[in-house]
Amino acid sequence: MNHNYFKVVACMLLFFSGYSLTTAQSTAPEFIDCSPTPDSLCVQEQGVRLPLNNQLFLGEEHPDATSCTVHISSMKHVTSDCGSQLSYRVELFLNDTGQAIILQPETLVSMDSTGLATLFFDSEQAPDTLISLTGIPYHTECNAYHRIVWSVVDSCGQESSCTSY
C-alpha cells in the first residue's frame, strides 16, 4: 500500500475541513553584543595591532612600509533557537569607497548547548591580500567611519546582521 497517498489525502482532508497545521516559528538569530556606538580601534585596545610591515617596525624610508593601517581581531556572540549550526560572514565597507571587502568568508560555526555561538574574524586572515598584508586603513575624514557588517544565517534560513563602526 502506498503510504504517501495517505499522507496526501490526510493533508487534503485537513485543508478542506478548515483545519490547518502550523509549525513552531523560530526567531532570527540575535546578536548579544551588537552596539550602535563606534568601536575604538586604537592600538592599545584589545584585538588591535600594527601590521608587521608598519613604518614603526621597518623604518619610514623602507619602500614596503605602511603607516596608516591596523590589523583587527574581533568577535561577536549570537543566539539562535533553530538548529545546531550557523553560517556567517564578515564584510568591511570602507568609508571612502563604499566597497565591500570580505574579512571572513562564509563560515559554519556550531552552537553550544545553550544556543550560543561565537563568531570571529582576524584581518590578517582575510582573503583580500592587501588587507591581510597591510591591515585596515585609517579613516581619511574626521567623524567618518568604516563599517564592519557581521551577517549570520541559522538552519531555518533566517538572517540577522550587526554593523560595527
Side-chain angles (χ1 to χ4, degrees):
M1 203 171 269
N2 186 345
H3 295 286
N4 287 334
Y5 170 78
F6 289 112
K7 290 179 184 175
V8 171
V9 171
C11 289
M12 289 174 57
L13 288 173
L14 285 172
F15 176 75
F16 287 120
S17 64
Y19 293 101
S20 64
L21 297 175
T22 58
T23 58
Q25 293 292 322
S26 64
T27 58
E30 182 179 342
F31 283 86
I32 295 174
D33 46 7
C34 188
S35 173
T37 59
D39 293 330
S40 174
L41 298 179
C42 298
V43 180
Q44 68 266 20
E45 300 292 330
Q46 182 178 351
V48 180
R49 62 208 177 276
L50 294 175
L52 294 177
N53 60 350
N54 188 275
Q55 288 178 352
L56 180 67
F57 303 123
L58 296 181
E60 286 185 31
E61 301 305 317
H62 194 284
D64 296 328
T66 63
S67 60
C68 298
T69 61
V70 293
H71 274 302
I72 302 170
S73 299
S74 186
M75 69 177 62
K76 295 285 182 199
H77 298 92
V78 179
T79 61
S80 177
D81 61 0
C82 183
S84 61
Q85 287 191 321
L86 297 171
S87 172
Y88 78 98
R89 70 183 179 283
V90 182
E91 297 171 298
L92 168 68
F93 292 87
L94 296 175
N95 181 53
D96 298 351
T97 65
Q99 171 189 359
I101 299 170
I102 303 294
L103 294 176
Q104 178 68 38
E106 204 73 31
T107 304
L108 284 177
V109 63
S110 296
M111 309 289 292
D112 69 12
S113 61
T114 65
L116 181 70
T118 302
L119 315 181
F120 177 81
F121 84 86
D122 182 342
S123 62
E124 287 187 84
Q125 304 301 315
D128 183 287
T129 306
L130 185 62
I131 295 293
S132 66
L133 292 176
T134 63
I136 296 172
Y138 296 166
H139 306 291
T140 58
E141 302 172 22
C142 293
N143 298 319
Y145 301 99
H146 298 319
R147 292 181 298 129
I148 297 176
V149 179
W150 302 72
S151 300
V152 63
V153 179
D154 66 15
S155 298
C156 295
Q158 299 174 106
E159 186 171 350
S160 294
S161 64
C162 171
T163 301
S164 302
Y165 296 93

